[in-house]
């Protein structure tokens, strides 16, 4: 639903909008609530009254994934993706995994002279520490 469609939905379903507004968390920012509220509006008709808690849980899982970078099982992520199709979140944060961050890190590796027993010491920094070091891209 676009912003205009959301407003039309609220006008036509005032009682439902009032109910959904009671689900806002006390610490939820306006940006988070606006997106999660749209998620709820898009999916509320698919959940009967006794199962509304499941929708609320899914909306929190979706918001945690989008805004906090929380990770969940692939099946759950696929379900949330389907449920959130068409929701546009402005200025959503971009998260990288540790592997993605480390992929382009420069690692300085200590190389001991041949006369000493071989040990390895990794040091991630912009420049080499003191001693005999070589550089390799990990």
């Amino acid at each position: 639903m676009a912003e205009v469609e959301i407003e039309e939905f609220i006008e036509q379903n005032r009682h439902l909008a009032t109910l959904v507004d009671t689900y806002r968390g006390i610490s939820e920012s306006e940006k988070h609530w606006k997106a999660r509220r749209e998620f709820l509006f898009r999916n509320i008709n698919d959940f009967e009254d006794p199962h509304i808690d499941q929708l609320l849980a899914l909306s929190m899982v979706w918001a945690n994934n989008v805004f906090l970078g929380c990770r969940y099982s692939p099946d759950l992520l696929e379900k949330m993706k389907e449920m959130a199709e068409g929701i546009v979140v402005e200025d959503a944060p971009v998260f990288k995994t540790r592997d993605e961050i480390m992929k382009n890190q420069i690692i300085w590796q200590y190389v001991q002279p041949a006369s000493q027993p071989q040990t390895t010491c990794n040091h991630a920094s912009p420049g080499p520490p003191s001693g005999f070091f070589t550089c390799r891209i990990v």
Side-chain angles (χ1 to χ4, degrees):
M1 292 180 186
E3 182 118 8
V4 174
E5 291 173 327
I6 291 289
E7 295 305 320
E8 288 176 11
F9 181 85
I10 290 170
E11 289 300 318
Q12 295 170 3
N13 300 284
R14 183 53 59 206
H15 67 286
L16 202 54
T18 302
L19 176 67
V20 166
D21 285 340
T22 65
Y23 299 137
R24 182 177 183 174
I26 193 165
S27 63
E28 214 162 5
S29 72
E30 190 64 34
K31 179 180 174 179
H32 289 202
W33 172 240
K34 182 180 173 185
R36 192 167 77 89
R37 184 177 186 228
E38 184 173 348
F39 184 95
L40 291 168
F41 282 141
R42 285 174 174 268
N43 298 288
I44 199 160
N45 290 328
D46 298 334
F47 290 82
E48 298 289 325
D49 190 30
H51 302 288
I52 199 74
D53 285 346
Q54 185 179 10
L55 174 61
L56 294 174
L58 288 168
S59 73
M60 291 302 293
V61 166
W62 175 77
N64 288 345
N65 176 258
V66 170
F67 295 109
L68 303 176
C70 297
R71 299 166 97 191
Y72 299 94
S73 72
D75 292 340
L76 182 56
L77 288 173
E78 185 61 35
K79 180 178 177 105
M80 288 186 315
K81 184 179 177 182
E82 290 170 10
M83 293 175 72
E85 188 175 337
I87 297 177
V88 177
V89 178
E90 295 178 17
D91 301 324
V94 177
F95 299 97
K96 291 184 177 183
T97 65
R98 180 188 176 283
D99 291 341
E100 291 170 333
I101 293 169
M102 294 302 294
K103 185 167 51 174
N104 294 323
Q105 280 273 345
I106 295 177
I107 301 293
W108 293 97
Q109 189 173 35
Y110 179 69
V111 180
Q112 291 182 329
S115 62
Q116 295 179 358
Q118 184 65 36
T119 60
T120 302
C121 172
N122 289 332
H123 177 78
S125 74
S130 60
F132 301 97
F133 284 85
T134 60
C135 177
R136 66 184 172 89
I137 304 293
V138 182

